[in-house]
Amino acid sequence: MTVLHEKTYANALFQLAVEDNSLEETYIELNQISDIFINNPDYLKVLCVPTVNAQDKLESLSKVFKGKISVLVYNFLGVLIEKNRFSLIHKINSEFTDMYNDKNGILEVIATTIKPLNQTIKEKLIKKLELISSKKITLVEKIDPSILGGIVLSYKNTQIDASVKSKIDNMRAQIDSIIA
């Protein structure tokens, strides 16, 4: 049921931002706000606790954000407080980002490696992915030593696993099927 809520709220904000001709500004602000709550999880908890009344939460929100973000985003945060949906802020941001990326022909690709990619490889990878997808690529790098080497690319509901770990796992499965 929450997926419906986060999509509904993200879609409502998206439509308002398009109508208000402030899509870019709204996208940037919503990402910054989400980052603020990632870095201050205790503040997010306070805004989500049912025992704190909505008026106190709105006053706190006013002290932190009023005049520092657009009226549209500020009012949106107020609606989330009033509807007791502030706990969905990160999921709403994720849904909004997906809508923003779709509208702007952007594909976010997560590249998981054991160490950061060097600039030359990163540029070649982005160019190749843009050629294949016909979209502008935003590359997000993640480090995961457990893949042992190679790369895992993830985007939307697709995963391309060219990691050493997956190759070893495949060989192990083949050997097990022969022996068993």
Side-chain angles (χ1 to χ4, degrees):
M1 184 110 172
T2 54
V3 172
L4 176 62
H5 290 303
E6 61 207 33
K7 285 187 179 196
T8 301
Y9 282 99
N11 189 49
L13 180 60
F14 188 85
Q15 297 306 319
L16 288 170
V18 168
E19 288 173 22
D20 192 41
N21 202 24
S22 63
L23 185 59
E24 185 74 22
E25 177 185 14
T26 302
Y27 167 74
I28 291 167
E29 287 182 351
L30 197 57
N31 274 289
Q32 290 171 339
I33 289 165
S34 186
D35 288 345
I36 287 169
F37 288 113
I38 286 170
N39 294 323
N40 299 285
D42 290 340
Y43 184 45
L44 178 61
K45 286 178 189 171
V46 168
L47 294 175
C48 298
V49 172
T51 54
V52 177
N53 73 48
Q55 191 57 43
D56 290 342
K57 292 176 186 179
L58 289 170
E59 286 176 20
S60 174
L61 212 59
S62 175
K63 288 177 184 173
V64 175
F65 292 108
K66 193 166 189 173
K68 296 176 184 148
I69 58 175
S70 67
V71 172
L72 175 66
V73 174
Y74 177 76
N75 288 340
F76 179 75
L77 297 179
V79 168
L80 293 179
I81 292 289
E82 290 170 358
K83 299 292 184 183
N84 200 24
R85 298 280 185 244
F86 210 88
S87 62
L88 300 175
I89 190 69
H90 298 306
K91 292 177 181 178
I92 291 168
N93 180 51
S94 179
E95 291 290 336
F96 188 93
T97 297
D98 287 347
M99 291 177 207
Y100 175 87
N101 287 345
D102 285 345
K103 180 170 178 51
N104 290 294
I106 299 169
L107 180 62
E108 183 176 280
V109 177
I110 300 169
T112 305
T113 57
I114 62 168
K115 63 181 183 179
L117 297 171
N118 71 44
Q119 194 59 35
T120 305
I121 292 174
K122 190 186 304 187
E123 288 170 5
K124 285 181 181 179
L125 179 60
I126 289 171
K127 282 181 185 176
K128 184 69 171 180
L129 290 169
E130 286 178 342
L131 183 67
I132 292 168
S133 69
S134 300
K135 293 186 182 250
K136 184 180 181 328
I137 300 298
T138 301
L139 193 66
V140 177
E141 291 187 72
K142 290 199 173 174
I143 306 302
D144 182 359
S146 74
I147 69 168
L148 305 176
I151 190 167
V152 178
L153 299 174
S154 306
Y155 56 94
K156 295 213 178 215
N157 293 324
T158 303
Q159 183 171 359
I160 301 167
D161 190 344
S163 67
V164 172
K165 182 182 183 318
S166 73
K167 290 177 182 175
I168 290 171
D169 290 346
N170 288 339
M171 286 187 335
R172 184 175 293 130
Q174 287 176 344
I175 291 169
D176 287 348
S177 70
I178 292 170
I179 296 172

